[in-house]
Amino acid sequence: MKLQEILGINVQRLRREKSLSQEQLAQLSGRTRGYLSSLEAGRRNATLDTLEVLAAALDVRACDLIRETSNEISTQDGPSDNRANG
């Protein structure tokens, strides 16, 4: 899974866990709702500055926004994943 997809999934998950709308997160982070929508959909790259701002707005560490969860790993890899064999 691409890093920008992981970021989008994590931002959306964390935003929902905190019961925030995209509009509310936009206000907290100084980004637009449209930007956040594209980011959550995995269509947007974020700068390091944006990672820091979003992490602060979501009250998490920046690294938590780009870390794959076990759920993401299990859904991306099928039985034919050969990365460990290389």
Side-chain angles (χ1 to χ4, degrees), residues 12-29:
Q12 184 178 72
R13 176 182 53 78
L14 290 163
R15 176 180 61 76
R16 288 180 174 172
E17 284 176 5
K18 296 182 183 297
S19 300
L20 295 171
S21 67
Q22 286 181 340
E23 188 63 36
Q24 290 169 317
L25 181 56
Q27 290 173 357
L28 290 171
S29 67

Side-chain angles (χ1 to χ4, degrees), residues 29-56:
S29 67
R31 301 316 190 254
T32 66
R33 192 209 56 78
Y35 176 86
L36 292 173
S37 176
S38 293
L39 189 77
E40 288 182 4
R43 295 187 309 260
R44 207 70 194 256
N45 285 318
T47 64
L48 293 176
D49 288 339
T50 296
L51 282 180
E52 288 179 339
V53 166
L54 289 174

Side-chain angles (χ1 to χ4, degrees), residues 1-3 5-7 9-10 13 66-84:
M1 183 177 293
K2 288 183 166 184
L3 197 53
E5 293 169 338
I6 294 167
L7 172 63
I9 289 168
N10 286 334
R13 176 182 53 78
I66 56 172
R67 180 173 290 132
E68 279 186 311
T69 66
S70 57
N71 195 23
E72 290 162 353
I73 294 168
S74 66
T75 58
Q76 84 172 16
D77 297 333
S80 62
D81 184 21
N82 292 323
R83 285 183 293 173

